[in-house]
mmCIF file of all heavy atoms in Angstrom:
data_model
loop_
_atom_site.group_PDB
_atom_site.id
_atom_site.type_symbol
_atom_site.label_atom_id
_atom_site.label_comp_id
_atom_site.label_asym_id
_atom_site.label_seq_id
_atom_site.Cartn_x
_atom_site.Cartn_y
_atom_site.Cartn_z
ATOM 1 N N PRO L 74 21.885 67.574 42.570
ATOM 2 C CA PRO L 74 22.028 66.908 41.277
ATOM 3 C C PRO L 74 23.364 66.203 41.112
ATOM 4 O O PRO L 74 24.362 66.837 40.894
ATOM 5 C CB PRO L 74 21.877 68.049 40.269
ATOM 6 C CG PRO L 74 22.238 69.275 41.008
ATOM 7 C CD PRO L 74 21.953 69.019 42.453
ATOM 8 N N HIS L 75 23.306 64.927 41.228
ATOM 9 C CA HIS L 75 24.392 64.112 40.763
ATOM 10 C C HIS L 75 23.914 63.643 39.430
ATOM 11 O O HIS L 75 22.896 64.001 38.968
ATOM 12 C CB HIS L 75 24.618 62.908 41.655
ATOM 13 C CG HIS L 75 25.519 63.251 42.790
ATOM 14 N ND1 HIS L 75 26.727 62.671 42.953
ATOM 15 C CD2 HIS L 75 25.367 64.136 43.789
ATOM 16 C CE1 HIS L 75 27.300 63.161 44.036
ATOM 17 N NE2 HIS L 75 26.493 64.052 44.551
ATOM 18 N N TRP L 76 24.478 62.677 39.031
ATOM 19 C CA TRP L 76 24.071 62.348 37.722
ATOM 20 C C TRP L 76 23.454 60.987 37.638
ATOM 21 O O TRP L 76 23.438 60.271 38.601
ATOM 22 C CB TRP L 76 25.312 62.439 36.952
ATOM 23 C CG TRP L 76 25.839 61.210 36.428
ATOM 24 C CD1 TRP L 76 26.461 61.230 35.279
ATOM 25 C CD2 TRP L 76 25.840 59.898 36.906
ATOM 26 N NE1 TRP L 76 26.842 60.038 35.038
ATOM 27 C CE2 TRP L 76 26.506 59.154 35.969
ATOM 28 C CE3 TRP L 76 25.338 59.239 38.013
ATOM 29 C CZ2 TRP L 76 26.711 57.835 36.051
ATOM 30 C CZ3 TRP L 76 25.544 57.887 38.129
ATOM 31 C CH2 TRP L 76 26.241 57.198 37.136
ATOM 32 N N SER L 77 22.982 60.543 36.576
ATOM 33 C CA SER L 77 22.544 59.153 36.516
ATOM 34 C C SER L 77 23.217 58.490 35.333
ATOM 35 O O SER L 77 23.213 58.993 34.241
ATOM 36 C CB SER L 77 21.073 59.037 36.310
ATOM 37 O OG SER L 77 20.518 60.159 36.073
ATOM 38 N N ALA L 78 23.764 57.371 35.610
ATOM 39 C CA ALA L 78 24.532 56.690 34.563
ATOM 40 C C ALA L 78 23.594 56.133 33.507
ATOM 41 O O ALA L 78 22.463 55.768 33.786
ATOM 42 C CB ALA L 78 25.329 55.547 35.174
ATOM 43 N N GLN L 79 24.103 56.106 32.333
ATOM 44 C CA GLN L 79 23.307 55.499 31.267
ATOM 45 C C GLN L 79 23.849 54.101 31.002
ATOM 46 O O GLN L 79 24.986 53.948 30.588
ATOM 47 C CB GLN L 79 23.414 56.339 29.993
ATOM 48 C CG GLN L 79 22.617 55.746 28.856
ATOM 49 C CD GLN L 79 22.875 56.442 27.554
ATOM 50 O OE1 GLN L 79 23.805 57.229 27.468
ATOM 51 N NE2 GLN L 79 22.095 56.156 26.547
ATOM 52 N N LEU L 80 23.029 53.169 31.264
ATOM 53 C CA LEU L 80 23.383 51.786 30.963
ATOM 54 C C LEU L 80 22.229 51.202 30.198
ATOM 55 O O LEU L 80 21.106 51.150 30.692
ATOM 56 C CB LEU L 80 23.620 50.988 32.247
ATOM 57 C CG LEU L 80 24.915 51.357 32.957
ATOM 58 C CD1 LEU L 80 24.883 50.878 34.377
ATOM 59 C CD2 LEU L 80 26.086 50.745 32.221
ATOM 60 N N ALA L 81 22.505 50.793 29.031
ATOM 61 C CA ALA L 81 21.459 50.282 28.143
ATOM 62 C C ALA L 81 20.339 51.285 27.983
ATOM 63 O O ALA L 81 19.179 50.922 27.879
ATOM 64 C CB ALA L 81 20.901 48.955 28.664
ATOM 65 N N GLY L 82 20.730 52.557 27.996
ATOM 66 C CA GLY L 82 19.739 53.589 27.769
ATOM 67 C C GLY L 82 18.872 53.877 28.965
ATOM 68 O O GLY L 82 17.859 54.569 28.845
ATOM 69 N N VAL L 83 19.287 53.387 30.112
ATOM 70 C CA VAL L 83 18.481 53.610 31.315
ATOM 71 C C VAL L 83 19.173 54.634 32.193
ATOM 72 O O VAL L 83 20.363 54.515 32.462
ATOM 73 C CB VAL L 83 18.306 52.285 32.101
ATOM 74 C CG1 VAL L 83 17.565 52.539 33.392
ATOM 75 C CG2 VAL L 83 17.567 51.286 31.260
ATOM 76 N N GLY L 84 18.464 55.599 32.612
ATOM 77 C CA GLY L 84 19.039 56.586 33.510
ATOM 78 C C GLY L 84 18.168 56.733 34.732
ATOM 79 O O GLY L 84 16.953 56.908 34.637
ATOM 80 N N MET L 85 18.798 56.648 35.873
ATOM 81 C CA MET L 85 18.014 56.796 37.104
ATOM 82 C C MET L 85 17.839 58.280 37.380
ATOM 83 O O MET L 85 18.814 59.017 37.515
ATOM 84 C CB MET L 85 18.715 56.118 38.278
ATOM 85 C CG MET L 85 17.877 56.148 39.556
ATOM 86 S SD MET L 85 18.656 55.312 40.932
ATOM 87 C CE MET L 85 18.686 53.649 40.329
ATOM 88 N N ILE L 86 16.632 58.691 37.448
ATOM 89 C CA ILE L 86 16.364 60.112 37.605
ATOM 90 C C ILE L 86 15.721 60.441 38.937
ATOM 91 O O ILE L 86 15.362 61.575 39.193
ATOM 92 C CB ILE L 86 15.471 60.624 36.460
ATOM 93 C CG1 ILE L 86 14.143 59.845 36.431
ATOM 94 C CG2 ILE L 86 16.181 60.472 35.139
ATOM 95 C CD1 ILE L 86 13.216 60.338 35.352
ATOM 96 N N GLY L 87 15.560 59.458 39.766
ATOM 97 C CA GLY L 87 14.993 59.762 41.057
ATOM 98 C C GLY L 87 14.648 58.482 41.797
ATOM 99 O O GLY L 87 14.948 57.378 41.343
ATOM 100 N N ALA L 88 14.040 58.653 42.925
ATOM 101 C CA ALA L 88 13.641 57.492 43.704
ATOM 102 C C ALA L 88 12.441 57.863 44.548
ATOM 103 O O ALA L 88 12.386 58.943 45.127
ATOM 104 C CB ALA L 88 14.772 57.000 44.590
ATOM 105 N N ASP L 89 11.514 56.976 44.598
ATOM 106 C CA ASP L 89 10.381 57.129 45.505
ATOM 107 C C ASP L 89 10.704 56.420 46.798
ATOM 108 O O ASP L 89 11.181 55.289 46.795
ATOM 109 C CB ASP L 89 9.124 56.521 44.895
ATOM 110 C CG ASP L 89 8.620 57.344 43.747
ATOM 111 O OD1 ASP L 89 9.050 58.506 43.613
ATOM 112 O OD2 ASP L 89 7.824 56.821 42.957
ATOM 113 N N GLN L 90 10.454 57.092 47.862
ATOM 114 C CA GLN L 90 10.770 56.485 49.142
ATOM 115 C C GLN L 90 9.562 56.544 50.049
ATOM 116 O O GLN L 90 8.905 57.572 50.172
ATOM 117 C CB GLN L 90 11.956 57.217 49.769
ATOM 118 C CG GLN L 90 12.257 56.795 51.203
ATOM 119 C CD GLN L 90 11.916 57.892 52.173
ATOM 120 O OE1 GLN L 90 12.526 58.930 52.183
ATOM 121 N NE2 GLN L 90 10.904 57.679 52.966
ATOM 122 N N THR L 91 9.309 55.433 50.625
ATOM 123 C CA THR L 91 8.180 55.356 51.550
ATOM 124 C C THR L 91 8.669 54.760 52.849
ATOM 125 O O THR L 91 9.281 53.701 52.851
ATOM 126 C CB THR L 91 7.061 54.471 50.970
ATOM 127 O OG1 THR L 91 6.689 54.973 49.706
ATOM 128 C CG2 THR L 91 5.860 54.471 51.894
ATOM 129 N N ARG L 92 8.436 55.456 53.920
ATOM 130 C CA ARG L 92 8.818 54.904 55.210
ATOM 131 C C ARG L 92 7.602 54.236 55.800
ATOM 132 O O ARG L 92 6.603 54.875 56.101
ATOM 133 C CB ARG L 92 9.336 55.997 56.131
ATOM 134 C CG ARG L 92 9.780 55.458 57.496
ATOM 135 C CD ARG L 92 10.367 56.571 58.347
ATOM 136 N NE ARG L 92 11.670 57.013 57.866
ATOM 137 C CZ ARG L 92 12.805 56.350 58.096
ATOM 138 N NH1 ARG L 92 12.810 55.246 58.781
ATOM 139 N NH2 ARG L 92 13.938 56.821 57.643
ATOM 140 N N ILE L 93 7.726 52.956 55.966
ATOM 141 C CA ILE L 93 6.622 52.181 56.509
ATOM 142 C C ILE L 93 6.721 52.210 58.024
ATOM 143 O O ILE L 93 7.796 52.057 58.590
ATOM 144 C CB ILE L 93 6.663 50.734 55.990
ATOM 145 C CG1 ILE L 93 6.585 50.732 54.453
ATOM 146 C CG2 ILE L 93 5.530 49.915 56.576
ATOM 147 C CD1 ILE L 93 6.744 49.385 53.850
ATOM 148 N N SER L 94 5.631 52.417 58.624
ATOM 149 C CA SER L 94 5.619 52.527 60.074
ATOM 150 C C SER L 94 6.174 51.258 60.708
ATOM 151 O O SER L 94 5.734 50.155 60.395
ATOM 152 C CB SER L 94 4.185 52.773 60.559
ATOM 153 O OG SER L 94 4.129 52.731 61.958
ATOM 154 N N GLY L 95 7.152 51.444 61.576
ATOM 155 C CA GLY L 95 7.746 50.307 62.265
ATOM 156 C C GLY L 95 8.909 49.687 61.527
ATOM 157 O O GLY L 95 9.640 48.884 62.101
ATOM 158 N N ALA L 96 9.099 50.060 60.287
ATOM 159 C CA ALA L 96 10.203 49.464 59.528
ATOM 160 C C ALA L 96 11.502 50.186 59.856
ATOM 161 O O ALA L 96 11.521 51.373 60.136
ATOM 162 C CB ALA L 96 9.910 49.545 58.042
ATOM 163 N N THR L 97 12.570 49.439 59.848
ATOM 164 C CA THR L 97 13.859 50.031 60.179
ATOM 165 C C THR L 97 14.467 50.746 58.970
ATOM 166 O O THR L 97 15.311 51.618 59.137
ATOM 167 C CB THR L 97 14.836 48.957 60.663
ATOM 168 O OG1 THR L 97 14.944 47.951 59.637
ATOM 169 C CG2 THR L 97 14.299 48.295 61.926
ATOM 170 N N GLN L 98 14.075 50.355 57.796
ATOM 171 C CA GLN L 98 14.636 50.992 56.607
ATOM 172 C C GLN L 98 13.508 51.481 55.720
ATOM 173 O O GLN L 98 12.427 50.907 55.703
ATOM 174 C CB GLN L 98 15.499 49.991 55.822
ATOM 175 C CG GLN L 98 16.779 49.619 56.544
ATOM 176 C CD GLN L 98 17.604 48.655 55.710
ATOM 177 O OE1 GLN L 98 17.089 48.036 54.798
ATOM 178 N NE2 GLN L 98 18.870 48.547 56.040
ATOM 179 N N PRO L 99 13.789 52.535 54.983
ATOM 180 C CA PRO L 99 12.739 53.025 54.093
ATOM 181 C C PRO L 99 12.545 52.088 52.906
ATOM 182 O O PRO L 99 13.438 51.348 52.522
ATOM 183 C CB PRO L 99 13.279 54.385 53.634
ATOM 184 C CG PRO L 99 14.757 54.254 53.754
ATOM 185 C CD PRO L 99 15.010 53.353 54.922
ATOM 186 N N ASP L 100 11.377 52.144 52.371
ATOM 187 C CA ASP L 100 11.037 51.366 51.181
ATOM 188 C C ASP L 100 11.384 52.210 49.963
ATOM 189 O O ASP L 100 10.784 53.250 49.730
ATOM 190 C CB ASP L 100 9.550 51.034 51.199
ATOM 191 C CG ASP L 100 9.186 50.041 50.121
ATOM 192 O OD1 ASP L 100 10.089 49.367 49.610
ATOM 193 O OD2 ASP L 100 8.000 49.945 49.794
ATOM 194 N N ILE L 101 12.352 51.779 49.228
ATOM 195 C CA ILE L 101 12.891 52.601 48.152
ATOM 196 C C ILE L 101 12.497 52.007 46.806
ATOM 197 O O ILE L 101 12.648 50.810 46.581
ATOM 198 C CB ILE L 101 14.430 52.696 48.255
ATOM 199 C CG1 ILE L 101 14.816 53.357 49.577
ATOM 200 C CG2 ILE L 101 14.999 53.472 47.076
ATOM 201 C CD1 ILE L 101 16.286 53.340 49.845
ATOM 202 N N THR L 102 11.989 52.819 45.965
ATOM 203 C CA THR L 102 11.664 52.402 44.603
ATOM 204 C C THR L 102 12.394 53.327 43.641
ATOM 205 O O THR L 102 11.970 54.467 43.420
ATOM 206 C CB THR L 102 10.155 52.486 44.359
ATOM 207 O OG1 THR L 102 9.481 51.680 45.307
ATOM 208 C CG2 THR L 102 9.829 52.005 42.948
ATOM 209 N N PRO L 103 13.494 52.859 43.070
ATOM 210 C CA PRO L 103 14.206 53.720 42.107
ATOM 211 C C PRO L 103 13.347 53.988 40.887
ATOM 212 O O PRO L 103 12.573 53.137 40.452
ATOM 213 C CB PRO L 103 15.440 52.888 41.743
ATOM 214 C CG PRO L 103 15.536 51.841 42.806
ATOM 215 C CD PRO L 103 14.153 51.586 43.269
ATOM 216 N N VAL L 104 13.504 55.167 40.397
ATOM 217 C CA VAL L 104 12.741 55.565 39.225
ATOM 218 C C VAL L 104 13.718 55.792 38.090
ATOM 219 O O VAL L 104 14.638 56.589 38.194
ATOM 220 C CB VAL L 104 11.933 56.845 39.503
ATOM 221 C CG1 VAL L 104 11.145 57.227 38.269
ATOM 222 C CG2 VAL L 104 11.018 56.644 40.698
ATOM 223 N N PHE L 105 13.500 55.079 37.023
ATOM 224 C CA PHE L 105 14.346 55.208 35.851
ATOM 225 C C PHE L 105 13.562 55.874 34.744
ATOM 226 O O PHE L 105 12.437 55.498 34.443
ATOM 227 C CB PHE L 105 14.809 53.823 35.378
ATOM 228 C CG PHE L 105 15.792 53.167 36.288
ATOM 229 C CD1 PHE L 105 15.345 52.390 37.337
ATOM 230 C CD2 PHE L 105 17.145 53.335 36.102
ATOM 231 C CE1 PHE L 105 16.251 51.778 38.179
ATOM 232 C CE2 PHE L 105 18.057 52.727 36.940
ATOM 233 C CZ PHE L 105 17.607 51.944 37.986
ATOM 234 N N GLY L 106 14.205 56.836 34.175
ATOM 235 C CA GLY L 106 13.599 57.439 32.992
ATOM 236 C C GLY L 106 14.285 56.915 31.754
ATOM 237 O O GLY L 106 15.507 56.820 31.685
ATOM 238 N N VAL L 107 13.524 56.545 30.794
ATOM 239 C CA VAL L 107 14.086 55.979 29.574
ATOM 240 C C VAL L 107 13.418 56.586 28.360
ATOM 241 O O VAL L 107 12.231 56.891 28.397
ATOM 242 C CB VAL L 107 13.917 54.444 29.542
ATOM 243 C CG1 VAL L 107 14.733 53.788 30.618
ATOM 244 C CG2 VAL L 107 12.468 54.061 29.703
ATOM 245 N N PRO L 108 14.152 56.769 27.307
ATOM 246 C CA PRO L 108 13.490 57.110 26.045
ATOM 247 C C PRO L 108 12.601 55.953 25.604
ATOM 248 O O PRO L 108 12.807 54.828 26.002
ATOM 249 C CB PRO L 108 14.658 57.315 25.071
ATOM 250 C CG PRO L 108 15.842 57.521 25.940
ATOM 251 C CD PRO L 108 15.597 56.763 27.190
ATOM 252 N N VAL L 109 11.647 56.265 24.775
ATOM 253 C CA VAL L 109 10.637 55.273 24.427
ATOM 254 C C VAL L 109 11.257 54.033 23.799
ATOM 255 O O VAL L 109 10.982 52.913 24.170
ATOM 256 C CB VAL L 109 9.600 55.891 23.477
ATOM 257 C CG1 VAL L 109 8.612 54.831 23.023
ATOM 258 C CG2 VAL L 109 8.872 57.024 24.164
ATOM 259 N N LEU L 110 12.122 54.241 22.832
ATOM 260 C CA LEU L 110 12.677 53.081 22.133
ATOM 261 C C LEU L 110 13.665 52.327 23.006
ATOM 262 O O LEU L 110 13.760 51.118 22.938
ATOM 263 C CB LEU L 110 13.350 53.531 20.842
ATOM 264 C CG LEU L 110 12.411 53.963 19.723
ATOM 265 C CD1 LEU L 110 13.186 54.309 18.476
ATOM 266 C CD2 LEU L 110 11.385 52.878 19.431
ATOM 267 N N LYS L 111 14.401 53.028 23.823
ATOM 268 C CA LYS L 111 15.392 52.360 24.659
ATOM 269 C C LYS L 111 14.733 51.428 25.666
ATOM 270 O O LYS L 111 15.315 50.428 26.079
ATOM 271 C CB LYS L 111 16.229 53.410 25.407
ATOM 272 C CG LYS L 111 17.150 54.210 24.497
ATOM 273 C CD LYS L 111 18.298 53.363 24.001
ATOM 274 C CE LYS L 111 19.289 54.211 23.222
ATOM 275 N NZ LYS L 111 20.427 53.402 22.727
ATOM 276 N N ALA L 112 13.535 51.774 26.058
ATOM 277 C CA ALA L 112 12.875 50.957 27.071
ATOM 278 C C ALA L 112 12.610 49.549 26.574
ATOM 279 O O ALA L 112 12.542 48.607 27.357
ATOM 280 C CB ALA L 112 11.565 51.615 27.485
ATOM 281 N N MET L 113 12.460 49.406 25.265
ATOM 282 C CA MET L 113 12.129 48.096 24.759
ATOM 283 C C MET L 113 13.257 47.114 25.005
ATOM 284 O O MET L 113 13.038 45.923 25.173
ATOM 285 C CB MET L 113 11.832 48.187 23.261
ATOM 286 C CG MET L 113 10.669 49.109 22.933
ATOM 287 S SD MET L 113 9.100 48.582 23.676
ATOM 288 C CE MET L 113 8.884 49.851 24.909
ATOM 289 N N SER L 114 14.494 47.614 25.018
ATOM 290 C CA SER L 114 15.608 46.701 25.211
ATOM 291 C C SER L 114 15.650 46.154 26.624
ATOM 292 O O SER L 114 16.353 45.175 26.872
ATOM 293 C CB SER L 114 16.921 47.419 24.891
ATOM 294 O OG SER L 114 17.117 48.492 25.803
ATOM 295 N N LEU L 115 14.914 46.757 27.535
ATOM 296 C CA LEU L 115 14.894 46.251 28.896
ATOM 297 C C LEU L 115 14.158 44.928 28.993
ATOM 298 O O LEU L 115 14.269 44.227 29.987
ATOM 299 C CB LEU L 115 14.242 47.262 29.835
ATOM 300 C CG LEU L 115 14.981 48.576 30.019
ATOM 301 C CD1 LEU L 115 14.151 49.522 30.874
ATOM 302 C CD2 LEU L 115 16.333 48.342 30.664
ATOM 303 N N GLY L 116 13.384 44.598 27.980
ATOM 304 C CA GLY L 116 12.617 43.377 28.063
ATOM 305 C C GLY L 116 13.412 42.126 27.765
ATOM 306 O O GLY L 116 12.874 41.026 27.822
ATOM 307 N N ARG L 117 14.684 42.288 27.457
ATOM 308 C CA ARG L 117 15.448 41.137 26.995
ATOM 309 C C ARG L 117 15.767 40.182 28.129
ATOM 310 O O ARG L 117 15.647 38.974 27.992
ATOM 311 C CB ARG L 117 16.731 41.630 26.349
ATOM 312 C CG ARG L 117 17.554 40.543 25.709
ATOM 313 C CD ARG L 117 18.525 41.143 24.713
ATOM 314 N NE ARG L 117 19.497 42.011 25.343
ATOM 315 C CZ ARG L 117 20.656 41.585 25.817
ATOM 316 N NH1 ARG L 117 20.958 40.326 25.769
ATOM 317 N NH2 ARG L 117 21.503 42.432 26.359
ATOM 318 N N THR L 118 16.212 40.710 29.243
ATOM 319 C CA THR L 118 16.617 39.837 30.345
ATOM 320 C C THR L 118 16.515 40.615 31.648
ATOM 321 O O THR L 118 16.168 41.793 31.679
ATOM 322 C CB THR L 118 18.047 39.332 30.128
ATOM 323 O OG1 THR L 118 18.355 38.388 31.156
ATOM 324 C CG2 THR L 118 19.040 40.473 30.178
ATOM 325 N N SER L 119 16.829 39.921 32.725
ATOM 326 C CA SER L 119 16.751 40.564 34.031
ATOM 327 C C SER L 119 17.953 41.489 34.253
ATOM 328 O O SER L 119 18.972 41.377 33.589
ATOM 329 C CB SER L 119 16.697 39.505 35.129
ATOM 330 O OG SER L 119 17.842 38.679 35.059
ATOM 331 N N LEU L 120 17.792 42.407 35.191
ATOM 332 C CA LEU L 120 18.834 43.376 35.504
ATOM 333 C C LEU L 120 19.364 43.122 36.900
ATOM 334 O O LEU L 120 18.596 42.898 37.827
ATOM 335 C CB LEU L 120 18.289 44.802 35.414
ATOM 336 C CG LEU L 120 17.714 45.235 34.074
ATOM 337 C CD1 LEU L 120 17.222 46.667 34.146
ATOM 338 C CD2 LEU L 120 18.749 45.096 32.966
ATOM 339 N N LEU L 121 20.663 43.158 37.033
ATOM 340 C CA LEU L 121 21.301 43.003 38.341
ATOM 341 C C LEU L 121 22.318 44.106 38.513
ATOM 342 O O LEU L 121 22.968 44.521 37.563
ATOM 343 C CB LEU L 121 21.999 41.649 38.451
ATOM 344 C CG LEU L 121 21.128 40.401 38.311
ATOM 345 C CD1 LEU L 121 21.975 39.158 38.288
ATOM 346 C CD2 LEU L 121 20.124 40.343 39.438
ATOM 347 N N GLY L 122 22.451 44.570 39.721
ATOM 348 C CA GLY L 122 23.461 45.583 39.960
ATOM 349 C C GLY L 122 23.377 46.139 41.351
ATOM 350 O O GLY L 122 22.759 45.540 42.242
ATOM 351 N N THR L 123 23.997 47.261 41.534
ATOM 352 C CA THR L 123 23.987 47.917 42.837
ATOM 353 C C THR L 123 23.620 49.366 42.656
ATOM 354 O O THR L 123 23.878 49.972 41.620
ATOM 355 C CB THR L 123 25.357 47.827 43.513
ATOM 356 O OG1 THR L 123 26.339 48.397 42.643
ATOM 357 C CG2 THR L 123 25.736 46.399 43.814
ATOM 358 N N ILE L 124 23.005 49.904 43.650
ATOM 359 C CA ILE L 124 22.658 51.315 43.656
ATOM 360 C C ILE L 124 23.339 51.941 44.854
ATOM 361 O O ILE L 124 23.197 51.478 45.981
ATOM 362 C CB ILE L 124 21.137 51.508 43.763
ATOM 363 C CG1 ILE L 124 20.451 50.860 42.568
ATOM 364 C CG2 ILE L 124 20.804 52.983 43.852
ATOM 365 C CD1 ILE L 124 18.954 50.932 42.634
ATOM 366 N N SER L 125 24.105 52.958 44.609
ATOM 367 C CA SER L 125 24.767 53.671 45.694
ATOM 368 C C SER L 125 24.119 55.031 45.840
ATOM 369 O O SER L 125 24.070 55.812 44.896
ATOM 370 C CB SER L 125 26.255 53.828 45.392
ATOM 371 O OG SER L 125 26.874 52.568 45.287
ATOM 372 N N LEU L 126 23.624 55.293 46.995
ATOM 373 C CA LEU L 126 23.010 56.575 47.288
ATOM 374 C C LEU L 126 24.017 57.396 48.078
ATOM 375 O O LEU L 126 24.427 57.000 49.156
ATOM 376 C CB LEU L 126 21.728 56.389 48.094
ATOM 377 C CG LEU L 126 20.735 55.370 47.536
ATOM 378 C CD1 LEU L 126 19.548 55.231 48.466
ATOM 379 C CD2 LEU L 126 20.293 55.787 46.158
ATOM 380 N N SER L 127 24.406 58.509 47.512
ATOM 381 C CA SER L 127 25.401 59.325 48.197
ATOM 382 C C SER L 127 24.884 60.729 48.386
ATOM 383 O O SER L 127 24.042 61.205 47.632
ATOM 384 C CB SER L 127 26.698 59.362 47.387
ATOM 385 O OG SER L 127 26.464 59.944 46.127
ATOM 386 N N ALA L 128 25.383 61.357 49.383
ATOM 387 C CA ALA L 128 24.963 62.720 49.670
ATOM 388 C C ALA L 128 26.182 63.613 49.777
ATOM 389 O O ALA L 128 27.319 63.148 49.793
ATOM 390 C CB ALA L 128 24.171 62.764 50.986
ATOM 391 N N ALA L 129 25.933 64.880 49.856
ATOM 392 C CA ALA L 129 27.039 65.833 49.936
ATOM 393 C C ALA L 129 27.848 65.643 51.204
ATOM 394 O O ALA L 129 29.047 65.933 51.246
ATOM 395 C CB ALA L 129 26.501 67.267 49.872
ATOM 396 N N SER L 130 27.190 65.089 52.211
ATOM 397 C CA SER L 130 27.907 64.877 53.467
ATOM 398 C C SER L 130 28.854 63.703 53.394
ATOM 399 O O SER L 130 29.650 63.480 54.310
ATOM 400 C CB SER L 130 26.887 64.658 54.588
ATOM 401 O OG SER L 130 26.128 63.492 54.316
ATOM 402 N N GLY L 131 28.764 62.934 52.320
ATOM 403 C CA GLY L 131 29.638 61.780 52.200
ATOM 404 C C GLY L 131 29.007 60.482 52.610
ATOM 405 O O GLY L 131 29.597 59.414 52.454
#
Side-chain angles (χ1 to χ4, degrees):
Chain L
H75 273 243
W76 112 146
S77 8
Q79 180 188 11
L80 288 162
V83 176
M85 185 178 295
I86 58 178
D89 289 344
Q90 172 250 294
T91 304
R92 181 177 289 281
I93 301 175
S94 173
T97 57
Q98 291 181 342
D100 190 18
I101 298 173
T102 302
V104 180
F105 290 88
V107 294
V109 175
L110 288 183
K111 291 289 186 180
M113 300 299 110
S114 63
L115 295 175
R117 186 161 64 89
T118 185
S119 59
L120 301 180
L121 299 174
T123 57
I124 299 177
S125 298
L126 310 177
S127 62
S130 62

